């Protein structure tokens, strides 16, 4: 390949480059962080190759990242002697965007967003950020296994839609990225500026970063190391300042926020490992993306970088945790598949899960304000653990926070422990109601009797709650009870004596209702739980949740019919009116149907046929 070959960027890449070039991105300096991070990854891969290669072909020489500034040519060169790239690698890596999440994200972004948020680096679009400051980028690279220096690759682009590739000569393996700065970006030609940026973003890279210095007088070129280059997790925690931990977090995750908390342990014994794990303050943009199976852990074996995004060491419901695991018990050439099966992985996963849960627990007890931030950001993810991790269920349940009838606030701050502490002397169960949203939970007719007796009820309205409550049946020996299901205990304890006279009066009405509604209901009763509403629907103890029955239906299975009991409130004006109508021998069918449908609406939040309901209401409205 002597001649230049021209290629067109993949359309998503074009779109991204367009955004990079045209957005007045306020945080331009991050291109240095991105290129250094790529160089560092390349060196990690090279180190790994040296160690795992038994043929001794690759010598473990000094590996470093170097920066050269050329004020005359207006260029910065960032080079590494890492793994390098083949021609195919170059086309794949510098011409396309591989990550499907990034593509999706891009589609929803405008240049205004890019300018305003600082997320560029998090999306695996790092290399292209060089076009924020460059009008041309040249990449020279030689793959470590390429024996002929003449077969190195030269990639070049102005970021406009095309790039070219040709062969070139390159002395050593690795990659050299040359940034041709736009005229108004000359600030990046100042050594102090580069120093400052490296200190800010890349000080904790465990690889030396050197800058070229020129001694004018003696006309000597030399290299000076500008970062500290220590692997922070290998140092005893007593020697690391909070500030260093925070900086390392930001370097590791590219998050602009500081972490919420972290744990750093060195464990010795049968299992030898170090973990430095962080809880972020903000969840990542794609944390709810089902396709995104990545999580933020990096695996090292004996201080050698092995791989990113290992999700084997923590359960899915802790996927927001970021950090590093360095173990001595795994082989260097471990693959993801073997990792999945490994005994060491299982032991570590168990231990790390416990550690993280303990840390969260500690925050919840000792740092209430911090815990608020945590719960708001990650509470709904943690709830998945109730179903996913039955062994730790009671610990996770202790971390849950709820809105409740008495707290009268949408903010979820009540713990189950506090709920139990404040229980009524006769109360033995934890009562809850699930609704579509907070307001409908708060105004649920089922709460009326609880209000009267001053018994608190948990108000659940997050999308995951119904599913979670299928798994959460008990906490500290107290059973959970949904208040729209029949509960014998409740009826017994708070027995509201129903006046015999009233019973007699409505007896006929109950029969009528049963006749009118037929199979729609199982039973009809006088209610003692209602004070403001005319009717309420309660279901049998064993009723399947809505989500469960949806799952059944999706699988083509029939769900058992729900056994509803309609309870009526004989003191309510509407019921009295209906009784009156009955006495005058007027038809009450329409009224009973409307009452039934409104009770169904309160019970499940939706109706199968809302138009029918509206029609019926309208009929009543025009009745004379
Ligand atoms: P990311 O680093 O998140 O994968 P980038 O856009 O920064 O995304 O880089 C894309 C890819 O290009 C990298 O994954 C890597 O394979 C390759 N690459 C970039 N810079 C280098 C380099 N200095 N040496 C070797 N490969 C590199
Ligand atoms: Mg990168």
């Amino acid at each position: 390949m002597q001649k230049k070959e021209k290629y067109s960027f993949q359309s998503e890449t074009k779109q991204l480059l367009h955004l990079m070039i045209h957005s007045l991105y306020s945080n331009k300096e991050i291109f240095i962080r991105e290129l250094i991070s790529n160089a560092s990854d390349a060196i990690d891969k090279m180190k790994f190759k040296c160690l795992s290669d038994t043929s001794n072909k690759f010598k473990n020489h000094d590996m470093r990242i170097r920066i050269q500034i050329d004020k005359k040519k207006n260029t910065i060169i960032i080079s590494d002697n890492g793994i390098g790239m083949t021609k195919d690698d170059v086309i794949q890596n510098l011409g396309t965007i591989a990550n499907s999440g990034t593509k999706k994200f891009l589609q929803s972004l405008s240049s205004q967003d890019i300018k305003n948020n600082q997320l560029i680096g998090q999306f695996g679009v790092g290399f292209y950020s060089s076009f924020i400051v460059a009008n041309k980028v040249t990449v020279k690279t030689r793959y470590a296994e390429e024996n002929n220096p003449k077969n190195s690759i030269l990639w070049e682009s102005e970021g406009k839609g095309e790039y070219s590739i040709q062969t070139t000569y390159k002395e050593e393996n690795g990659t050299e990225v040359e940034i041709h700065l736009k005229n108004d970006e000359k600030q990046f030609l100042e050594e102090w500026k580069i120093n400052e940026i490296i200190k800010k973003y890349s000080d904790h890279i465990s690889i030396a970063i050197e800058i070229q210095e020129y001694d004018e007088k003696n006309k000597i070129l030399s290299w000076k190391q500008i970062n500290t280059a220590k692997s922070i997790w290998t140092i005893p925690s007593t020697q690391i300042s909070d500030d260093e931990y925070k900086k390392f977090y930001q370097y590791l995750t590219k998050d602009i926020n500081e972490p919420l908390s972290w744990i750093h342990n060195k464990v010795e014994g049968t299992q030898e490992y170090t973990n430095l794990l962080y809880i972020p303050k903000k969840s990542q943009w794609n944390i709810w993306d089902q396709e995104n199976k990545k999580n933020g852990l990096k695996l090292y074996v004996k201080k050698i970088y092995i791989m990113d995004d290992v999700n084997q060491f923590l359960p899915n419901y802790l996927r927001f945790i970021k950090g590093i695991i360095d173990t001595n018990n795994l082989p260097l050439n471990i693959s993801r598949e073997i990792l999945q099966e490994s005994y060491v992985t299982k032991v570590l996963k168990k231990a790390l899960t416990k550690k993280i849960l303990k840390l969260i627990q500690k925050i919840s007890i000792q740092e209430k304000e911090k815990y608020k931030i945590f719960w708001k950001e990650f509470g709904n993810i943690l709830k998945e653990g109730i179903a996913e991790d039955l062994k730790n269920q009671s610990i996770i349940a202790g971390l849950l926070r709820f809105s409740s009838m008495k707290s009268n606030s949408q903010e979820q701050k009540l713990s189950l422990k506090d709920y139990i502490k404040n229980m009524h002397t006769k109360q033995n169960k934890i009562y809850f109601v699930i609704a579509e949203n907070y307001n409908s939970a708060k105004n649920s007719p089922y709460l009326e009797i609880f209000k009267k007796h001053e018994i608190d009820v948990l108000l659940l309205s997050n999308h995951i709650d119904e599913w979670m409550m299928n798994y959460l049946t008990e906490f500290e020996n107290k059973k959970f009870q949904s208040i729209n299901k029949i509960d014998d205990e409740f009826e017994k304890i708070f027995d509201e004596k129903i006046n015999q006279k009233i019973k007699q009066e409505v007896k006929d009405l109950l029969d009528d209702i049963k006749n009118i509604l037929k199979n729609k209901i199982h039973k009809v009763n006088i209610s003692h739980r209602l004070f403001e509403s005319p009717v309420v629907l309660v279901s049998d103890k064993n009723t399947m949740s809505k989500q469960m029955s949806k799952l059944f239906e999706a699988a083509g299975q029939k769900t058992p019919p729900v056994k509803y009991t309609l309870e009526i409130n004989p003191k309510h004006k509407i019921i009295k009116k209906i009784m009156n109508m009955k006495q005058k021998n007027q038809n009450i069918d329409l009224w009973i149907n409307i009452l039934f449908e409104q009770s169904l609406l309160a019970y499940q939040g939706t109706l199968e046929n809302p138009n029918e309901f509206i029609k019926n209401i309208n009929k009543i409205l025009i009745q004379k």
Side-chain angles (χ1 to χ4, degrees):
M1 183 180 51
Q2 294 303 330
K3 283 213 342 242
K4 252 192 202 179
E5 291 175 359
K6 286 229 186 290
Y7 293 83
S8 189
F9 284 112
Q10 173 205 32
S11 61
E12 280 94 347
T13 315
K14 276 187 199 160
Q15 191 191 350
L16 179 66
L17 283 167
H18 184 84
L19 287 173
M20 294 288 179
I21 292 168
H22 294 283
S23 64
L24 294 168
Y25 188 60
S26 52
N27 203 13
K28 295 179 175 181
E29 64 195 26
I30 61 129
F31 81 94
I32 292 185
R33 176 190 73 185
E34 291 305 321
L35 295 179
I36 286 190
S37 136
N38 286 350
S40 154
D41 291 348
I43 287 176
D44 277 339
K45 285 178 197 157
M46 189 63 204
K47 281 188 176 164
F48 179 63
K49 203 176 192 59
C50 293
L51 272 152
S52 51
D53 185 85
T54 43
S55 64
N56 257 343
K57 198 162 61 184
F58 304 102
K59 281 182 264 22
N60 194 357
H61 49 284
D62 266 356
M63 295 191 210
R64 76 286 171 284
I65 299 165
R66 284 183 162 169
I67 302 176
Q68 274 165 281
I69 296 170
D70 190 327
K71 287 192 175 171
K72 284 194 201 104
K73 279 169 69 191
N74 251 354
T75 59
I76 308 175
I77 297 177
I78 297 181
S79 59
D80 63 72
N81 48 359
I83 191 91
M85 284 179 274
T86 64
K87 183 185 168 189
D88 286 348
D89 290 342
V90 169
I91 293 173
Q92 181 61 37
N93 298 331
L94 309 185
T96 63
I97 299 170
N99 188 323
S100 67
T102 308
K103 284 188 201 166
K104 260 191 231 153
F105 177 76
L106 258 179
Q107 282 154 10
S108 62
L109 264 192
S110 67
S111 58
Q112 191 60 25
D113 291 323
I114 290 251
K115 184 171 142 192
N116 292 342
N117 73 46
Q118 318 212 338
L119 298 172
I120 287 183
Q122 287 183 21
F123 302 111
V125 293
F127 171 76
Y128 302 111
S129 66
S130 47
F131 286 99
I132 300 172
V133 296
N135 51 30
K136 189 166 96 175
V137 177
T138 312
V139 179
K140 255 186 181 184
T141 184
R142 179 173 158 198
Y143 183 50
E145 291 193 36
E146 175 58 65
N147 297 325
N148 186 350
K150 285 185 193 154
N151 287 342
S152 307
I153 302 293
L154 180 70
W155 178 100
E156 206 160 45
S157 178
E158 292 176 5
K160 290 199 179 120
E162 284 189 332
Y163 60 91
S164 68
I165 289 186
Q166 66 195 104
T167 43
T168 188
Y169 182 91
K170 189 174 183 303
E171 190 66 43
E172 63 171 7
N173 64 278
T175 304
E176 213 176 276
V177 181
E178 186 175 18
I179 307 286
H180 302 260
L181 290 167
K182 292 178 191 167
N183 274 336
D184 45 2
E185 303 298 350
K186 290 199 177 138
Q187 45 167 326
F188 294 109
L189 294 173
E190 300 302 330
E191 192 188 320
W192 66 265
K193 178 89 188 167
I194 301 289
N195 263 315
E196 192 185 88
I197 298 170
I198 304 262
K199 275 269 170 265
K200 186 158 151 198
Y201 296 112
S202 311
D203 199 34
H204 286 292
I205 282 199
S206 47
I207 295 154
I209 303 171
E210 302 171 347
I211 197 160
Q212 191 169 51
E213 289 194 320
Y214 184 60
D215 180 345
E216 292 277 353
K217 218 167 76 196
N218 302 312
K219 305 235 177 307
I220 299 172
L221 276 171
S222 64
W223 296 98
K224 185 181 82 175
Q225 182 170 332
I226 52 178
N227 65 331
T228 30
K230 48 186 184 185
S231 309
I232 178 171
W233 68 93
T234 62
I235 303 167
S237 58
T238 47
Q239 290 168 33
I240 308 170
S241 70
D242 281 3
D243 203 46
E244 281 177 302
Y245 275 124
K246 289 176 188 169
K247 278 233 169 89
F248 184 69
Y249 166 81
Q250 289 176 325
Y251 151 69
L252 196 70
T253 60
K254 297 174 181 170
D255 188 350
I256 49 165
N257 300 295
E258 287 185 353
L260 194 70
S261 194
W262 60 85
I263 35 167
H264 181 193
N265 315 83
K266 194 178 161 95
V267 177
E268 276 156 358
T270 42
Q271 294 297 326
E272 281 183 25
Y273 65 92
T274 303
N275 65 266
L276 172 53
L277 303 176
Y278 290 94
I279 304 178
K281 238 184 216 150
K282 284 232 147 279
S283 59
Q284 217 168 297
W285 61 281
N286 56 357
I287 195 116
W288 289 104
D289 185 352
Q290 290 296 327
E291 281 171 43
N292 173 39
K293 293 275 178 265
K294 286 184 176 182
N295 81 10
L297 298 189
K298 265 184 202 287
L299 175 66
Y300 284 72
V301 171
K302 303 185 184 90
K303 294 185 199 172
I304 307 293
Y305 163 81
I306 307 293
M307 61 179 104
D308 270 313
D309 305 319
V310 282
N311 52 17
Q312 287 88 344
F313 289 105
L314 282 175
N316 204 30
Y317 70 94
L318 295 178
R319 62 188 177 277
F320 51 85
I321 300 292
K322 309 276 171 191
I324 279 176
I325 297 161
D326 192 343
T327 165
N328 291 346
N329 299 89
L330 287 169
L332 280 165
N333 58 357
I334 190 148
S335 68
R336 270 180 210 273
E337 292 68 37
I338 295 174
L339 191 62
Q340 184 76 43
E341 301 300 313
S342 155
Y343 170 74
V344 176
T345 310
K346 289 193 180 86
V347 176
L348 254 64
K349 182 173 178 176
K350 204 169 149 198
L352 294 172
T353 305
K354 273 257 156 27
K355 275 184 196 165
I356 291 289
L357 288 176
K358 272 216 176 106
L359 173 65
I360 300 175
Q361 206 169 35
K362 199 172 122 204
I363 299 173
S364 78
I365 297 165
Q366 296 175 0
E367 298 173 281
K368 298 255 188 284
E369 282 310 305
K370 251 192 197 177
Y371 196 67
K372 272 189 194 167
I373 301 175
F374 172 84
W375 182 254
K376 201 160 159 266
E377 204 58 29
F378 302 113
N380 279 338
I381 300 173
L382 197 69
K383 284 177 182 174
E384 295 172 11
I386 292 287
E388 195 187 329
D389 189 353
L390 297 179
K391 283 210 183 86
N392 288 311
Q393 195 194 54
S394 63
I395 301 176
I396 302 168
L399 296 170
L400 300 177
R401 294 293 179 271
F402 298 90
S403 311
S404 82
M405 185 183 79
K406 282 191 183 174
S407 76
N408 204 17
S409 143
Q410 191 158 3
E411 194 194 334
Q412 300 169 354
K413 48 189 176 187
L414 180 68
S415 68
L416 292 173
K417 269 202 162 57
D418 286 341
Y419 179 94
I420 291 174
K421 221 191 289 168
N422 297 324
M423 272 181 10
H424 191 287
T425 43
K426 288 186 187 169
Q427 184 185 353
N428 241 321
K429 290 183 174 175
I430 302 171
Y431 292 104
F432 68 93
V433 62
I434 301 178
E436 296 282 304
N437 53 54
Y438 171 73
N439 276 325
S440 86
K442 197 178 88 169
N443 296 313
S444 164
Y446 300 97
L447 292 176
E448 290 173 13
I449 189 157
F450 291 87
K451 271 187 201 142
K452 183 175 174 215
H453 290 286
E454 293 188 354
I455 293 168
D456 206 3
V457 176
L458 305 177
L459 307 179
L460 302 181
S461 57
N462 291 120
H463 63 281
I464 189 174
D465 289 340
E466 190 178 353
W467 180 70
M468 173 178 78
M469 293 315 289
N470 285 329
Y471 295 87
L472 189 61
T473 51
E474 232 181 89
F475 181 75
E476 296 188 346
N477 294 323
K478 304 274 185 256
K479 292 214 162 20
F480 284 88
Q481 171 71 44
S482 160
I483 62 169
N484 58 16
K485 287 190 184 168
I486 292 177
D487 170 26
D488 308 332
E489 187 181 276
F490 184 83
E491 328 264 306
K492 252 182 259 154
I493 302 174
F494 304 103
D495 188 20
E496 298 274 322
K497 289 279 172 283
I498 297 166
N499 185 312
Q500 278 303 324
K501 198 173 142 241
I502 295 182
K503 263 193 190 164
Q504 214 39 52
E505 274 171 17
V506 294
K507 196 182 160 299
D508 280 355
L509 178 63
L510 296 187
D511 290 343
D512 284 357
I513 294 177
K514 183 70 186 92
N515 277 331
I516 295 166
L517 296 175
K518 296 206 177 68
N519 316 338
K520 288 184 188 164
I521 56 169
H522 182 61
K523 260 199 248 166
V524 52
N525 272 341
I526 303 173
S527 183
H528 45 210
R529 71 175 80 218
L530 292 178
F531 298 91
E532 288 157 24
S533 307
V535 287
V536 74
L537 209 54
V538 288
S539 62
D540 188 67
K541 262 185 277 187
N542 306 318
T543 308
M544 206 180 251
S545 75
K546 237 196 312 170
Q547 271 166 342
M548 277 294 208
S549 41
K550 269 189 201 154
L551 283 177
F552 265 69
E553 277 160 27
Q557 274 173 297
K558 276 228 166 80
T559 53
V562 183
K563 288 188 176 170
Y564 290 122
T565 300
L566 183 72
E567 295 188 357
I568 63 163
N569 171 8
K571 291 180 196 141
H572 197 278
K573 277 187 182 157
I574 296 185
I575 302 295
K576 286 188 171 154
K577 183 180 163 91
I578 294 176
M579 305 260 287
N580 237 328
M581 289 171 68
K582 230 173 84 72
Q583 274 180 357
K584 291 186 202 153
N585 268 332
Q586 289 169 338
N587 190 321
I588 59 168
D589 288 19
L590 186 59
W591 288 77
I592 300 300
N593 269 305
I594 287 181
L595 286 183
F596 171 70
E597 283 180 339
Q598 61 166 259
S599 68
L600 199 59
L601 192 57
Y603 178 87
Q604 59 184 22
T606 52
L607 286 176
E608 234 169 77
N609 190 348
N611 291 325
E612 186 68 31
F613 179 57
I614 293 169
K615 258 190 214 156
N616 283 342
I617 293 217
N618 289 346
K619 272 189 211 159
I620 282 206
L621 290 176
I622 54 172
Q623 247 176 23
K624 299 224 176 73

